[in-house]
Amino acid sequence: MTQRVVLVPIRDFDGMTRLASTLSPQARRELALRLADHLVACCADAGLEVAVVTGHDDVRSWAREHDILLIDDACAGLDAACGSAVESVEGAPWMVVHADLPLASAAALRAAADIEGTVLVPSMDGGTNIIAHTGRFPFSFGEGSFHRHLARNPRATVVPSSALSIEIDTPEHWHALAESGLAPSLTPG
């Protein structure tokens, strides 16, 4: 099997707005950068090629500083960004991985990448943190996306993984992660 290209959609580093009640804009920005750095390092340790999907100059600069392949995003939403990214890899196997996975590891990413066929990794709250496939895919991100993705791809391999299912999207996620002590470099002591 040809190695999968990891497609990482990053709208910008000033987002994570659902954490606004918990973290300042600067703290959210720093967290977004640390999470992106963490994911890219895990991919590198796993020997996976990474391409960042973005339409934001700040993210483009960060990607260039890290020698990461860039795929332009017309800023038409996550589904459209991922669809365009898939088209840009021209039939190569790919894996969309969200950048907000604080417990991601090289081993977990490599294991997901090595599964043939369609792979879905659900988030802890019913979303989809990772999709791996070859060719076009009917992306449908948003609340409850895992069940929509699975319904559209009933033969997909579902990979429940604590390392890849835990994300930081909400204040509840942030507090749970901070209290767990599992990611001390990302959360206060």
Side-chain angles (χ1 to χ4, degrees):
M1 176 174 114
T2 305
Q3 179 167 295
R4 293 189 191 273
V5 176
V6 177
L7 305 172
V8 182
I10 302 175
R11 182 180 55 226
D12 60 47
F13 290 130
D14 295 319
M16 303 190 92
T17 56
R18 289 188 277 177
L19 292 171
S21 65
T22 303
L23 299 173
S24 70
Q26 182 60 33
R28 291 193 318 267
R29 178 179 175 72
E30 290 171 9
L31 175 62
L33 280 162
R34 286 193 309 257
L35 286 166
D37 285 339
H38 172 72
L39 181 64
V40 167
C42 289
C43 288
D45 290 347
L48 297 168
E49 178 184 3
V50 176
V52 168
V53 184
T54 191
H56 197 275
D57 289 338
D58 199 25
V59 179
R60 285 186 186 110
S61 295
W62 170 84
R64 284 186 198 105
E65 288 171 14
H66 289 79
D67 294 319
I68 299 169
L69 178 67
L70 279 165
I71 297 175
D72 195 43
D73 168 18
C75 300
L78 182 57
D79 294 341
C82 291
S84 294
V86 165
E87 286 180 21
S88 75
V89 298
E90 301 176 342
W94 52 264
M95 185 164 79
V96 170
V97 181
H98 295 290
D100 62 349
L101 308 179
L103 304 182
S105 69
L109 289 165
R110 179 85 254 167
D114 286 346
I115 297 170
E116 294 205 29
T118 303
V119 178
L120 300 173
V121 178
S123 71
M124 62 186 168
D125 60 3
T128 313
N129 283 348
I130 295 178
I131 299 172
H133 189 72
T134 301
R136 291 180 179 217
F137 189 88
F139 293 106
S140 183
F141 287 108
E143 189 173 326
S145 69
F146 172 73
H147 294 289
R148 288 190 302 279
H149 288 135
L150 185 59
R152 294 174 181 179
N153 298 276
R155 295 184 184 190
T157 300
V158 175
V159 178
S161 166
S162 59
L164 301 176
S165 293
I166 295 174
E167 62 195 343
I168 300 180
D169 275 346
T170 66
E172 294 78 18
H173 295 164
W174 171 257
H175 292 301
L177 186 67
E179 290 171 12
S180 75
L182 293 174
S185 66
L186 298 173
T187 57

